[in-house]
Amino acid sequence: MRAAGVREFGGQVEVFDLPEPRDPGPDEAVVEVAAAGVGNWDDLVRTGEWKVGREAPMALGVEAAGRVITVGSEVLGLRPGDEVLGHPLQLREQGCWAERVVVDAGLVVRKPPSVSWEVAGAFSVPALTAVQVVSDSLGLAEGDTVLVHGAGGTTGGLIVQLAAIRGARVIATAGPSSAARAVGSGAAEVLNYHDSRWPELVRELTGGVGVDAAVNTARGGGPHTVLAVRDGGRMATITGDPPESIRGISVSDVYVRPDAAQLEELCTLLGNGRLRLSVGAALPLADAATALERAMAGANGGPVVLLV
């Protein structure tokens, strides 16, 4: 089968042939991939920095959507033909940038019928990251004021949407080209993050107190974000470089993890239109190297996805 990945960690992304997937184990399913998401996290897998359960040579990709081909003997909730999506880590055999993939059947959920393959393929990782920030790390509740620094990106936009759904007042930072998108996601106010005074402006918007909670999605932005948080508030970052805690502010460093229950709830919101995601670029599997470059550059207006 065709796949896109690396022959050795740190190598360039290539398209090559891999053996057909083995038969599924008792708790596994084999999925025919229709679309697979591409994010900057895939470069961490490419370099070997993020261990996902496989050694090179390997297909990359940690999220996908497709149709179930066959299931293991102990799998009760899926059957051949079901349309599913997921973030199936640890990888059981290969990554998701492949024509077929073996997955832990407990880590994939049904795709909403109204959702396109492109959106489904690129949904799992950013959506799970967003809910794990909003719910698990910050515990946002109705009436909270939250800052989302870097709301123009895919994950930042989903964080804004989930925070707004919970009834929080969202103050966002974004570039001029994505400010309207942040407002459409539910931000009450949007500040230009190119203005170095934005942490001070956030405090002005909150009567000089600061926000109850904040999320940093821009690498290197943590030390600025924490300045906008009230004393004893909460902050989360998804960039792997959390700032030091000051003024009693709790700081958490969020790494996405698979969670089928959370993903199922997110898919319900996606299917009924309360969550929205627009794909920025859809490329064929043969262009996987270009897709990763575009995802790393981050100027697509939405996630990058491979059509398999």
Side-chain angles (χ1 to χ4, degrees):
M1 68 174 179
R2 287 193 317 144
V6 290
R7 298 184 188 276
E8 60 183 8
F9 287 133
Q12 296 300 308
V13 174
E14 304 176 47
V15 176
F16 46 76
D17 289 328
L18 288 172
E20 287 289 335
R22 57 174 170 75
D23 291 336
D27 64 342
E28 295 175 336
V30 179
V31 175
E32 183 177 42
V33 178
V38 183
N40 53 12
W41 49 82
D42 292 302
D43 201 57
L44 300 178
V45 181
R46 181 189 69 82
T47 61
E49 185 175 346
W50 187 13
K51 303 299 183 184
V52 293
R54 286 290 303 176
E55 296 295 326
M58 62 176 289
L60 296 176
V62 297
E63 60 178 347
R67 291 184 178 85
V68 174
I69 299 172
T70 184
V71 299
S73 59
E74 296 177 3
V75 176
L76 300 177
L78 295 175
R79 61 184 181 181
D82 284 346
E83 297 181 347
V84 298
L85 69 148
H87 171 46
L89 289 191
Q90 296 285 327
L91 297 179
R92 293 295 179 96
E93 185 169 290
Q94 288 294 341
C96 297
W97 297 359
E99 292 178 315
R100 287 165 288 281
V101 64
V102 178
V103 300
D104 178 340
L107 296 180
V108 296
V109 302
R110 284 185 173 81
K111 179 183 79 68
S114 61
V115 174
S116 70
W117 285 119
E118 291 90 342
V119 168
F123 183 68
S124 297
V125 169
L128 283 169
T129 304
V131 77
Q132 287 161 16
V133 164
V134 168
S135 298
D136 301 351
S137 179
L138 297 181
L140 290 183
E142 185 174 0
D144 281 343
T145 299
V146 60
L147 164 69
V148 181
H149 177 44
T154 300
T155 305
L158 287 167
I159 291 170
V160 171
Q161 291 180 60
L162 288 173
I165 287 171
R166 283 177 168 246
R169 172 193 176 194
V170 182
I171 301 172
T173 72
S177 64
S178 52
R181 190 162 61 248
V183 171
S185 294
E189 294 95 0
V190 181
L191 301 173
N192 186 344
Y193 61 56
H194 295 299
D195 184 343
S196 61
R197 300 177 301 125
W198 68 259
E200 177 184 342
L201 297 175
V202 172
R203 297 190 76 89
E204 289 180 7
L205 287 171
T206 56
V209 176
V211 294
D212 299 306
V215 187
N216 172 53
T217 75
R219 190 161 183 84
H224 304 288
T225 303
V226 75
L227 297 177
V229 181
R230 67 168 172 78
D231 294 357
R234 298 103 69 198
M235 177 185 159
T237 184
I238 64 171
T239 56
D241 55 350
E244 291 187 9
S245 175
I246 58 173
R247 297 183 283 109
I249 297 168
S250 64
V251 177
S252 57
D253 191 9
V254 177
Y255 285 83
V256 65
R257 69 177 189 282
D259 189 309
Q262 287 183 330
L263 186 56
E264 194 164 19
E265 292 178 2
L266 290 161
C267 283
T268 298
L269 294 173
L270 183 66
N272 64 25
R274 297 187 70 196
L275 269 186
R276 300 179 306 279
L277 181 68
S278 297
V279 169
L283 287 77
L285 185 64
D287 292 341
T290 299
L292 183 56
E293 290 173 2
R294 293 185 66 165
M296 294 288 289
N300 302 288
V304 178
V305 65
L306 291 173
L307 300 179
V308 182

